[in-house]
C-alpha cells in the first residue's frame, strides 16, 4: 500500500526559555523503513520525535504527516493510557505482541513494582499494536536485557511504516536502519546506510575537509609571509627614496631619487603589493568556505579514594520480596574497599531491589557514597537543573566544564528547566565528581547517555580508586570495569524464587 513520506519543510523550533533554536530550518524527507536519529544529549533528538508525532508544533515551517502517528518516550514513569485495553483484548496482533514481549495480565495493577525493563516492554507493545504510519521510538532498548533486546529487534524489523529511532544501541541501529540523521552542534545531515556506514562516511568527509582546510591555511600563510616581506622591502625602499636624509647640496642624490620616481618603479611595486593582498584575501575566503566540525575536548575524571577500612558492607544471607509471592534469595554479600562488582540478570529478576536494599544499609559518612539509580523521573531532572544553577561560582564553573567534556552544551543546560534524561545523568555525574566517595553505585549508568559520553564514563570509572557496584546489560562495559560478578537467575526448583550467585 503506497505511503507518502514524513516531511519536514524549513522547520524552526525554539523553546520559550531558550535563547537559541533547537532546529534551524530543517528540511528532510523520511520514507518507509527505519531512520536512526543520532547525536549528543541535548542536541534535539527527542524534540524532533515529538515534532514528528505532533506532540510539539514548529515555531515556523511545516510538517507533513502521512497518517496516524505514535510516540514512545524515554521515560517509563506512568503506564500507557491504553495498557488495560491492550492487556485484556483478544485482538490477534495484541495477543502476538503480548506473547513475544512476555507481558502478563496483571502488569497494570502492579506497574510500580515492575522493573524498568518490564515497563519499557509494555510501553513498546502498546505503541506497536496501534500499527501507526509513523512510529517514533526514543531509546527503546534502555533497561532491556540482551534476550529481550533480540526479541524487540525482531518485532521492530517487521514494522512496515515510517520509523524514527533514537538510540545509543549501535547493534540495533545497524540492524534496523536504512538511513541515519546525524545531529550535532546545530548541524543536521541525513545519510544513507546504517549507523556504522553513516558514521564512517561522516568521519571520511570530516577528515577530507580538515585536510583541505589545512592545505588552504598553509597556502594562506605562505602568501601572508610574502606580503609581509614585500611590505618590509617597500618600507626600506621608501626610506632610501626619501630626500630627508640627503644633504641639501647633494644634487646628484636628489636627481637619482627623482629619476626612480619618474620611471614608475613606485607604481609597479604598489601594483604588485595590491595583487598580493588580493591573493591573500581570496585565500582567506577559500579557507572560510571549508566548514569543519570542531572536535570537542572530551574525557573526565571521577573523584574518589580507597577507603581505609577493608570492608564497606557485609550483608547477611537473606531474601527480599519482589511482589506477587516472588522472592530474591541471596547469600552473604561482601563489598570490599577495592570492589569491582558487576550485577547482572534478566528484567524483573530483582537487580534494582537488591541495590536499593544495599544503599539503605550502608554505614558510610555523608558524601562518601555516590548512588545513581536506574531511572530518573522528570521531577528529579528539574531538581537537578535547579541544584546546578545554585552552585557557588567556582564549583559551578568546574561542574559546567565536566558537563562540556561529557559532550553537552553547558549554557543550554543552564537555560533549561527540564533537562532530558541523558542531560540529567550528566548533571548528577558532574556534581558527583566534586566528591571523594569511597563507593560508587550505578544502576544502568549507560541508559540515556550518548555513545561518546558512555566511552568517557567507562574511561573515568576504570581509573577511579573508589569501590564500584555496577548494574548493566552492557556486556562490554562490565567486562572492562568489573572483576566479580553477582548474577541473578530463576531457581529451577522453584519458579517463584530468584537466586543471586557470586562468581
Amino acid at each position: 500500500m503506497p505511503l507518502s513520506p514524513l516531511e519536514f519543510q524549513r522547520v524552526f523550533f525554539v523553546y520559550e526559555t531558550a535563547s537559541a533554536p533547537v532546529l534551524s530550518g530543517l528540511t528532510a524527507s523520511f520514507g518507509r523503513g527505519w531512520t536512526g536519529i543520532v547525536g549528543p544529549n541535548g542536541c534535539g533528538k527527542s524534540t524532533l520525535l515529538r515534532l514528528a508525532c505532533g506532540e510539539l508544533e514548529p515555531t515556523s515551517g511545516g510538517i507533513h504527516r502521512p497518517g496516524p502517528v505514535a510516540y514512545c518516550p524515554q521515560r517509563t514513569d506512568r503506564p500507557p493510557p491504553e495498557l488495560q485495553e491492550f492487556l485484556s483484548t483478544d485482538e490477534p496482533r495484541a495477543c502476538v505482541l503480548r506473547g513475544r514481549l512476555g507481558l502478563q495480565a496483571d502488569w497494570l495493577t502492579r506497574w510500580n513494582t515492575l522493573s524498568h525493563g518490564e515497563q519499557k516492554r509494555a510501553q513498546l507493545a502498546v505503541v506497536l499494536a496501534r500499527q501507526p504510519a509513523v512510529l517514533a521510538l526514543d531509546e527503546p532498548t534502555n533497561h532491556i536485557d540482551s534476550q529481550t533486546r533480540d526479541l524487540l529487534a525482531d518485532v521492530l524489523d517487521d514494522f512496515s511504516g515510517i520509523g524514527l529511532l533514537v538510540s545509543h544501541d549501535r547493534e540495533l541501529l545497524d540492524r534496523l536502519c536504512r538511513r541515519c540523521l546525524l545531529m550535532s552542534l546545530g548541524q543536521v545531515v541525513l545519510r544513507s546506510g546504517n549507523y556504522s556506514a553513516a558514521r564512517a562516511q561522516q568521519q571520511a568527509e570530516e577528515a577530507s575537509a580538515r585536510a583541505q582546510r589545512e592545505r588552504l591555511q598553509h597556502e594562506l600563510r605562505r602568501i601572508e609571509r610574502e606580503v609581509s616581506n614585500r611590505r618590509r622591502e617597500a618600507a626600506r625602499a621608501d626610506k632610501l627614496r626619501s630626500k630627508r636624509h640627503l644633504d641639501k647640496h647633494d644634487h646628484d642624490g636628489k636627481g637619482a631619487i627623482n629619476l626612480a620616481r619618474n620611471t614608475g618603479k613606485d607604481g609597479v611595486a604598489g601594483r604588485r603589493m595590491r595583487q598580493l593582498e588580493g591573493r591573500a584575501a581570496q585565500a582567506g575566503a577559500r579557507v572560510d568556505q571549508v566548514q569543519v566540525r570542531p572536535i570537542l575536548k572530551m574525557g573526565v575524571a571521577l573523584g574518589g579514594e580507597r577507603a581505609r577500612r577493608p570492608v564497606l558492607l557485609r550483608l547477611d544471607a537473606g531474601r527480599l520480596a519482589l511482589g506477587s509471592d516472588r522472592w530474591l534469595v541471596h547469600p552473604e554479600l561482601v563489598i570490599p574497599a577495592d570492589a569491582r562488582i558487576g550485577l547482572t540478570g534478566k528484567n524483573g529478576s530483582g537487580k534494582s531491589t537488591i541495590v536499593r536494599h544495599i544503599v539503605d544499609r550502608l554505614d558510610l559518612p555523608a558524601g562518601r557514597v555516590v548512588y545513581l539509580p536506574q531511572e530518573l523521573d522528570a521531577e528529579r531532572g528539574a531538581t537537578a537543573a535547579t541544584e546546578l544553577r545554585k552552585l557557588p561560582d567556582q564549583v559551578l564553573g568546574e561542574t559546567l566544564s565536566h558537563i562540556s567534556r561529557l559532550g553537552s552544551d553547558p549554557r543550554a543546560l543552564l537555560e533549561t528547566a527540564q533537562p532530558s534524561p541523558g542531560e540529567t545523568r550528566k548533571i548528577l555525574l558532574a556534581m558527583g565528581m566534586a566528591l571523594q566517595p569511597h563507593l560508587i553505585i550505578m544502576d544502568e549508568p549507560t541508559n540515556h547517555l550518548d555513545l561518546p559520553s558512555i566511552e568517557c564514563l567507562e574511561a573515568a570509572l576504570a581509573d577511579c580508586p573508589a569501590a564500584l557496584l555496577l548494574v548493566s546489560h552492557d556486556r562490554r562495559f562490565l567486562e572492562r570495569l568489573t572483576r566479580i560478578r553477582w548474577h541473578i537467575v530463576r531457581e529451577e526448583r522453584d519458579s517463584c524464587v530468584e537466586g543471586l550467585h557470586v562468581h
Side-chain angles (χ1 to χ4, degrees):
M1 181 177 178
L3 181 65
S4 61
L6 167 69
E7 294 185 339
F8 281 61
Q9 299 167 346
R10 297 183 295 279
V11 171
F12 283 79
F13 182 82
V14 59
Y15 287 101
E16 291 182 359
T17 58
S19 59
V22 180
L23 297 178
S24 300
L26 173 63
T27 295
S29 179
F30 304 95
R32 283 187 188 274
W34 288 99
T35 300
I37 313 296
V38 181
N41 295 126
C43 71
K45 301 186 299 294
S46 297
T47 300
L48 187 146
L49 295 192
R50 295 178 67 194
L51 285 165
C53 292
E55 287 208 354
L56 296 173
E57 289 298 331
T59 305
S60 65
I63 300 174
H64 167 71
R65 303 178 185 93
V69 297
Y71 171 54
C72 185
Q74 292 190 54
R75 300 189 187 281
T76 59
D77 304 356
R78 298 181 180 87
E82 310 96 321
L83 181 57
Q84 181 58 58
E85 179 183 354
F86 174 80
L87 291 173
S88 58
T89 183
D90 292 330
E91 193 272 325
R93 179 164 178 77
C95 293
V96 170
L97 287 168
R98 290 199 302 265
R100 293 181 73 175
L101 292 176
L103 274 66
Q104 298 176 19
D106 64 346
W107 274 19
L108 180 60
T109 58
R110 58 186 186 94
W111 182 263
N112 292 331
T113 67
L114 298 178
S115 72
H116 291 293
E118 290 169 329
Q119 292 173 346
K120 177 61 73 172
R121 278 153 50 193
Q123 187 186 56
L124 290 166
V126 168
V127 296
L128 286 167
R130 298 183 202 165
Q131 296 183 278
V134 178
L135 176 57
L137 302 182
D138 203 343
E139 296 290 0
T141 58
N142 274 354
H143 315 297
I144 287 180
D145 59 54
S146 56
Q147 182 179 356
T148 306
R149 181 185 285 111
D150 293 338
L151 291 173
L152 175 62
D154 290 339
V155 172
L156 296 179
D157 212 5
D158 293 337
F159 179 67
S160 59
I162 298 167
L164 302 180
L165 174 63
V166 170
S167 181
H168 67 262
D169 188 328
R170 287 164 286 190
E171 291 181 11
L172 188 69
L173 289 167
D174 279 346
R175 173 172 173 177
L176 296 179
C177 295
R178 301 178 181 179
R179 64 197 77 83
C180 285
L181 190 77
L182 304 182
M183 306 177 67
S184 178
L185 299 175
Q187 297 179 341
V188 180
V189 180
L190 185 63
R191 299 182 183 276
S192 60
N194 62 18
Y195 170 73
S196 293
R199 184 74 179 118
Q201 182 184 1
Q202 180 189 48
Q203 290 174 333
E205 290 180 3
E206 289 176 352
S208 176
R210 280 192 287 271
Q212 182 184 4
R213 188 179 178 90
E214 288 174 4
R215 288 194 299 270
L216 292 173
Q217 287 174 328
H218 177 76
E219 176 65 11
L220 174 60
R221 289 192 293 269
R222 187 189 67 77
I223 296 173
E224 288 175 339
R225 285 195 300 270
E226 190 173 349
V227 169
S228 179
N229 291 336
R230 289 291 180 90
R231 283 176 177 160
R232 284 195 296 270
E233 292 174 4
R236 286 196 297 268
D238 286 344
K239 185 176 181 181
L240 291 174
R241 288 196 293 273
S242 173
K243 297 178 182 180
R244 284 178 297 180
H245 68 284
L246 297 178
D247 186 272
K248 63 180 179 179
H249 301 296
D250 188 356
H251 301 294
D252 290 340
K254 293 178 180 179
I257 291 173
N258 288 335
L259 179 63
R261 290 175 176 176
N262 292 335
T263 57
K265 289 183 178 179
D266 285 353
V268 171
R271 285 195 297 274
R272 288 177 177 171
M273 178 62 70
R274 287 192 294 274
Q275 289 172 353
L276 273 176
E277 289 173 342
R279 286 173 57 194
Q282 291 172 0
R286 287 194 294 271
V287 170
D288 292 339
Q289 288 172 356
V290 180
Q291 298 296 316
V292 176
R293 188 168 68 95
I295 299 175
L296 294 177
K297 190 175 183 181
M298 303 273 295
V300 294
L302 282 172
E305 61 184 18
R306 183 75 53 80
R308 293 182 179 179
R309 70 193 213 194
V311 175
L312 303 182
L313 175 74
R314 189 181 300 276
L315 187 66
D316 291 338
R319 67 177 190 170
L320 302 174
L322 299 179
S324 301
D325 298 323
R326 294 178 57 244
W327 299 90
L328 170 62
V329 176
H330 63 85
E332 180 186 54
L333 298 175
V334 178
I335 301 180
D338 62 348
R340 288 290 189 272
I341 300 169
L343 175 57
T344 58
K346 290 184 178 181
N347 293 137
S349 60
K351 300 185 297 299
S352 296
T353 300
I354 189 67
V355 165
R356 290 191 295 269
H357 185 70
I358 287 170
V359 170
D360 289 342
R361 282 152 183 78
L362 285 170
D363 181 23
L364 292 174
R368 291 301 192 179
V369 180
V370 170
Y371 169 49
L372 196 64
Q374 180 175 176
E375 191 64 13
L376 300 163
D377 59 22
E379 181 180 353
R380 185 65 186 98
T383 303
T386 301
E387 292 171 354
L388 176 68
R389 288 189 288 271
K390 290 181 177 179
L391 291 175
D393 288 346
Q394 182 176 350
V395 179
L396 177 62
E398 294 175 356
T399 304
L400 294 179
S401 176
H402 288 314
I403 290 171
S404 176
R405 296 186 66 164
L406 282 168
S408 285
D409 182 354
R411 294 167 300 178
L413 279 183
L414 285 175
E415 293 179 350
T416 184
Q418 187 59 71
S420 71
E423 290 171 322
T424 300
R425 283 185 176 274
K426 289 181 181 181
I427 291 172
L428 295 177
L429 280 171
M431 290 194 296
M433 288 171 196
L435 305 174
Q436 293 294 317
H438 290 160
L439 174 62
I440 297 175
I441 301 176
M442 294 184 172
D443 194 346
E444 295 291 354
T446 62
N447 279 352
H448 306 296
L449 291 184
D450 53 72
L451 295 173
S453 300
I454 291 173
E455 293 169 356
C456 287
L457 176 62
E458 206 172 83
L461 289 173
D463 294 333
C464 180
L468 301 179
L469 172 57
L470 305 174
V471 183
S472 182
H473 294 300
D474 189 328
R475 289 185 293 266
R476 189 183 306 176
F477 186 78
L478 291 181
E479 285 171 0
R480 179 177 181 186
L481 296 174
T482 63
R483 297 188 297 268
I484 299 171
R485 188 62 51 89
W486 293 356
H487 184 61
I488 301 175
V489 293
R490 181 159 295 177
E491 297 293 341
E492 294 182 1
R493 65 181 184 275
D494 189 342
S495 62
C496 293
V497 174
E498 304 282 349
L500 190 154
H501 302 268
V502 178
H503 303 283

